[in-house]
Amino acid sequence: MTSISEQLFNALGVMIMGMSLVFIFLSMLIVGIKIVARLCKSENQPAVAHVPAPAAASATLDPKLIAAITSAIHQYRAKD
């Protein structure tokens, strides 16, 4: 039977070895994913069309619509 200090020393060695292996594996996985991402850049990605927002969007809204929305919000908040 081994002493408690020898068991703790063995446990520490196993823990350090396990943590090191996990760290190495995860590091290799991250590097591998980055390499594959660079190699497999898809050329089929759709181009994003930049549609300019209307400059005066609030001027085109109907004042009656704004009043109806405002009234609905006030009624909803008054329920509580």
Side-chain angles (χ1 to χ4, degrees):
M1 189 161 141
T2 60
S3 68
I4 189 74
S5 62
E6 289 177 13
Q7 290 178 350
L8 286 175
F9 183 73
N10 287 337
L12 182 65
V14 170
M15 181 185 71
I16 290 173
M17 183 178 63
M19 290 177 67
S20 300
L21 288 174
V22 169
F23 177 77
I24 291 169
F25 173 76
L26 291 176
S27 299
M28 289 173 44
L29 184 67
I30 290 170
V31 169
I33 289 173
K34 287 185 179 185
I35 290 172
V36 170
R38 285 187 183 165
L39 293 176
C40 296
K41 284 188 179 178
S42 177
E43 296 174 4
N44 298 334
Q45 292 178 349
V48 178
H50 297 286
V51 178
S58 62
T60 60
L61 293 177
D62 184 20
K64 291 180 182 179
L65 179 64
I66 294 173
I69 293 172
T70 305
S71 173
I73 292 172
H74 285 296
Q75 288 178 4
Y76 178 76
R77 288 182 180 170
K79 283 183 184 180
D80 295 332

